[in-house]
Amino acid sequence: MDKIPHEHWEAIRMMGDRVLRYCPRTGMKIWESSAWDSIRSDSHQISFRAGSDSIWIQGSPARVCGSGCAVFGEGAAVALDLVGCLDRMITFTSKQIGIELSRDYKHWHVSRIDVTSNLMLDDLAAVRIALRTLRECEGGRYRVSQQAGDTVYWSHKSRLRSGKAYAKGPHIDYMMKQPNYSGRIYSIEERNLSNRILRLELKLGAQYLRERTDKPWFELTRDDLTGEWRTYFERMIGASEMTDESQLIDRIIAVSDTPGKAKAAHSLFLLIQSQGWEKARDLTHKTTWYRNLKILHAAGLGDADISAGNVVQLRRKVLECSAVHSWAQIISLAA
C-alpha cells in the first residue's frame, strides 16, 4: 500500500466488489474484504483485487504474453522469466484498470509458480493410458488427491508442492466451446496435434517460496524451476531407461551392499506385486520398508513402478526425447 499514491489506492478500492460480514442484530460490521474480479484476457483468466494492505493479481502469464497461447506460451512465459512474467501482468492490469501500478519487481511478492512441460505421445489413447498409469501412482509422497475426467491431481491443496497431469487436447476443446471464450483460436491441425499432448504441471506454492531462503523469487532461474519439475516428476516415473522386469534383478544387485539386501528388496517388490501397496506396507516393518524402498529407487524404479508392482512404460527416456516446447516442434515431429 505504501508504494501506491493515496488517491490511486482509493480509486482502486472502489473498483471491485466488497465482501462484508456484519451482525444483523446490531448492524455492526465485523470485517470487510475485497472480492476477486476477473479481467478479460483469455476467457477471464486474469483476476485482480485490492486487499486491505496490498494489491493482488493472479492468473497465467501466458494469457497476456504474445498471442495468448495456452499450450506452449510465448515470450517470458515460455522462457520461465519470472520478472518478465510479472512485468507483463502488471502492464496488462494497469491498462485494464486505468491506473499505473508499480513496475518495480521488488515491490511485489510471488505466492505461486506453475512449471509445466508437454509430452508428445502417439495419440489421445496413449495419453489416456499414461494418465491411467499415473493415476495409480500412490507411492511415497505422491497421493492422488483428486480425479476429474482426463485430469489427475496430487496433493492439490498443498501450499508447498502439488502436481497435475491432464490431456491437453480435450482441455482446449472444452475452452473453445465456452460461450465467453476470447482466447487464441486454434486451427484444426493444432487441435488434432494437441490430442497427443500429455501436460505435466508442478505448482510451487507460498510455503515453498517462504521456505526457500537461498535466494529470493526474482533470482530463481529457468534451471532452478525445471530442476524442481524434474525432481518431482522423475521420481514418480523413474530415473532409468529400464523398460521391463528382466533388467530389474541385476539393477537391484548392482545398487545393494550385500546379496541379502538385494534379495530383501526384490522380495518386497514381489510382495507389492501380489498383495498391493497398502497391504504390503502393513505386512512389512517400517524400517525394513523404507530401507528396501531406497534400494528399489536407487535401482531406477519410480513410485509409479513400485506402487503398481510393475515396471511401467513411462520412462525417463520418454521425458527427454518427447518433450515438446512449440507448435513448430510438434508439427515437425508429427511429420
Side-chain angles (χ1 to χ4, degrees):
M1 181 175 177
D2 59 348
K3 309 300 180 186
I4 302 172
H6 179 72
E7 63 274 14
H8 285 183
W9 183 261
E10 290 300 320
I12 289 170
R13 285 175 61 82
M14 291 296 292
M15 287 179 178
D17 295 338
R18 312 295 295 176
V19 179
L20 177 67
R21 180 177 179 178
Y22 76 101
C23 176
R25 294 188 302 274
T26 64
M28 183 177 69
K29 182 171 69 174
I30 299 173
W31 54 257
E32 180 181 346
S33 181
S34 58
W36 284 102
D37 288 313
S38 296
I39 301 174
R40 180 172 292 277
S41 56
D42 179 354
S43 298
H44 292 53
Q45 293 297 324
I46 301 296
S47 299
F48 162 86
R49 74 180 177 93
S52 60
D53 62 351
S54 57
I55 285 175
W56 292 74
I57 305 172
Q58 73 173 8
S60 170
R63 307 293 183 181
V64 294
C65 290
S67 64
C69 177
V71 180
F72 296 108
E74 296 174 53
V78 74
L80 294 180
D81 173 7
L82 298 185
V83 173
C85 287
L86 173 66
D87 185 73
R88 290 294 297 121
M89 295 182 78
I90 293 171
T91 300
F92 175 81
T93 304
S94 296
K95 182 178 179 181
Q96 296 299 312
I97 66 176
I99 294 176
E100 188 67 26
L101 303 177
S102 172
R103 303 285 285 276
D104 186 340
Y105 59 84
K106 292 183 180 179
H107 291 168
W108 295 84
H109 299 276
V110 171
S111 60
R112 172 175 171 174
I113 302 169
D114 289 350
V115 187
T116 65
S117 187
N118 298 299
L119 308 184
M120 180 180 174
L121 302 180
D122 292 337
D123 49 31
L124 181 58
V127 171
R128 285 175 169 154
I129 290 172
L131 284 170
R132 186 163 61 247
T133 299
L134 293 172
R135 189 175 291 119
E136 295 169 355
C137 180
E138 290 279 0
R141 63 184 176 187
Y142 301 106
R143 294 285 174 177
V144 174
S145 55
Q146 189 173 329
Q147 301 175 29
D150 291 316
T151 305
V152 183
Y153 299 86
W154 296 272
S155 309
H156 73 287
K157 292 183 178 180
S158 172
R159 296 179 65 81
L160 184 62
R161 293 179 182 85
S162 62
K164 178 180 176 182
Y166 62 100
K168 193 62 184 177
H171 180 243
I172 287 178
D173 290 341
Y174 170 79
M175 289 196 307
M176 293 186 67
K177 289 177 182 177
Q178 300 306 301
N180 62 344
Y181 181 74
S182 60
R184 172 177 171 146
I185 302 300
Y186 296 93
S187 68
I188 297 297
E189 180 186 21
E190 289 174 337
R191 292 174 71 177
N192 289 336
L193 288 172
S194 68
N195 281 326
R196 301 176 60 178
I197 293 177
L198 171 66
R199 168 70 67 88
L200 296 178
E201 183 174 298
L202 168 65
K203 183 191 80 173
L204 302 172
Q207 184 180 346
Y208 166 86
L209 289 155
R210 284 196 306 269
E211 293 181 358
R212 179 151 191 166
T213 58
D214 59 326
K215 58 176 68 174
W217 71 264
F218 48 81
E219 290 183 6
L220 292 175
T221 65
R222 180 184 181 87
D223 288 344
D224 291 328
L225 299 175
T226 55
E228 289 284 353
W229 185 93
R230 286 190 174 277
T231 298
Y232 191 88
F233 285 108
E234 283 188 356
R235 173 173 168 176
M236 182 187 300
I237 295 169
S240 77
E241 296 180 4
M242 177 171 44
T243 57
D244 58 60
E245 290 185 46
S246 65
Q247 307 165 356
L248 179 58
I249 296 177
D250 290 340
R251 285 179 174 271
I252 291 175
I253 292 173
V255 299
S256 300
D257 296 334
T258 65
K261 289 183 178 180
K263 183 178 179 180
H266 188 242
S267 296
L268 176 63
F269 186 75
L270 295 177
L271 181 63
I272 295 171
Q273 198 173 58
S274 62
Q275 300 293 324
W277 172 272
E278 294 292 343
K279 184 66 173 178
R281 187 174 60 178
D282 291 342
L283 293 173
T284 307
H285 188 274
K286 184 176 181 180
T287 302
T288 304
W289 172 263
Y290 285 106
R291 182 177 64 244
N292 289 331
L293 283 188
K294 184 177 180 180
I295 293 173
L296 293 175
H297 280 129
L301 293 176
D303 281 341
D305 299 309
I306 299 171
S307 63
N310 202 356
V311 178
V312 302
Q313 298 302 310
L314 217 57
R315 302 278 83 211
R316 179 178 177 179
K317 186 175 182 180
V318 174
L319 286 177
E320 293 177 343
C321 297
S322 301
V324 287
H325 308 289
S326 67
W327 286 113
Q329 185 183 8
I330 194 172
I331 290 171
S332 175
L333 289 172

